Amino acid sequence: MRINLPVSNIEIPLKEGLMIVSKTDLKGIITYVNNDFLEVSGFTEQELIGASHNIVRHPDMPAEAFADLWVTLKAGRPWIGMVKNRAKNGDYYWVEAHAAPLVENGQVIGYVSVRKKPARSAIDATEQVYRLFREKRQGNLRVEIGSAVKRSFLGKLNFFKSMSIKGRLTLIVSLMSLLLLAIGGMGLYGMAKSNESLEDVYKDRTVALGQLAEVNRLVLRNRIAIEGMIIEPDAANVTRLSTEVDNNILAAGKIWDAYTATNLTPKEKALAVTFASLRLRFTTEGLKPALAAFRANKPEEAKRIHNEILRPLNGPLIDTAKALISLEIEVAKEEFEAAQSRFANLRNLAITLIALGLLLALAMAVSLIRAIVRPLETAVAVCAQVAQGNFNNRIDIDKNDETGRVLQGMEVMQTKLGFDVAEANRVSDENLRIKIALDNVSTGVMIADNSRTIIYANKSVQKILKGAENDIRKQLPNFSADKMMGVNIDTFHKNPAHQAKLLAEFTTTYVANLEIGGRFLRVTAAPVINVRGERLGAVAEWLDRTGEVTVEQEVARVVEGAKNGDFDQRLKLEGKE
């Protein structure tokens, strides 16, 4: 890093409205400076042109600030920052620097910098921050786009801020779509689970309850049939009821097999095993032996089997069946409660997701609106200020999304316009000096544009033509020396076509001697051609030679008289200088 010495503690106060302008090439070599730059820095134009831009760098400036400057400019973005510069004598001055790429035909050809007087509060704040950098105590402070910013962990995670508006819109639509899919998926999942629960309740509980009730009914019906045969042991009744018992045993077996094929909980399976064991004993040890005794015409034996085996087994069997039925009801209730709980969980989750989605959408919408509306409002305000000739607008250029790039473009435009205004003022000052000089030279000067309209006439040409005005009017009655500006010179010639052709085609100096009403005038005309070879008009130098020609004629007469032997003729000195 270049260190410019010596330095002093004397601050150079900047005037209000000061605009320090410079231009560099891509390597930072100065190619242009304005008068304000020369006045404040104390350098001459010869010392600055061709020198590196860091010729005015003050040692107090941290290297991080200039590193940020070049990184930003080479990225094609404008840069705004506070800069402490050093004058040639070692004094210093603070500026608010606005730097921007200089683009021609789509290519960056250099950089332009416009510096303005900053506020004292901004100077004081910047001095404190730059001191931290010089003393290596900046911590997590960084210089970004000319400003010192603190990079926190949360700031690094805030990727949404650095996203483009297109990216934000895409993210919002994607998140809302995902949220919609999630809520819709949960709804479908909830309906599917509800359907499964209803199916389970119907198949495994409602049907099972019917099956258990039917098995229990058949068991009870078989016992009643046995008791009926005990009461009426005649052959016809025994045949009828024994056939019913056989059919009931077969039907109960099939129904039981269907029941055990359903989804049973471990507790149900345990009770089902107990019930199956009791029913098997009830059937094999009670019903079938009793039927065999009735068919063998042994009613007393059948009665004994009923009293000693069937009746003792019937109680536990009925109790087990009731326990199974109660358990089925209990399991159905549990499944219902589980479905209710699942529904409540899904409902709460859906409500939470909807609320979070709404909050997220609201936050994103607010951020997006701010990212669009505020920069546009700033752009409108800056355009209004620029239209009024104010190029000192502070523009936030830290964002790099679409609207951020609009503001960056506004800053580049403002900086370039500031440069153009400074250059226009310089050219205007030079032109004014030239005009003042032309106004006061003794030679008459007149300038006409390509349409041969007079756009300039100095005091001398007005004086020359005013003196010859009466004589000129003898040939050009409409001539007026006081009303030449804006008048086409064709009105001063009897043959305008010849004059127009001459001025349109001549490429070198043309001299004409005119005699108008006894006045002798010499006009020296030259074309005005710019660096691109374009004809802009013509300039004419007027000289009134009437007095000179009069003397020449008098001298000629004296000489001619002397040649003829007449030596009495003399030059009249009156009215001559």
Side-chain angles (χ1 to χ4, degrees), residues 228-241:
M229 286 186 281
I230 291 173
I231 296 171
E232 295 183 22
D234 59 278
N237 188 47
V238 168
T239 300
R240 179 178 65 79
L241 291 176

Side-chain angles (χ1 to χ4, degrees), residues 13 16 56 76 99 107 111 129 142 155 207 225 236 239 249 265 284 290 306 319 333 341 440 465 467 485:
E16 292 294 339
V56 294
Q107 296 292 326
Y111 306 102
V129 172
R142 295 179 58 185
V207 173
T239 300
I249 292 172
T265 65
T284 57
H306 172 268
D319 292 341
K333 180 181 179 182
S341 176
N440 294 282
L465 296 179
M485 296 298 295

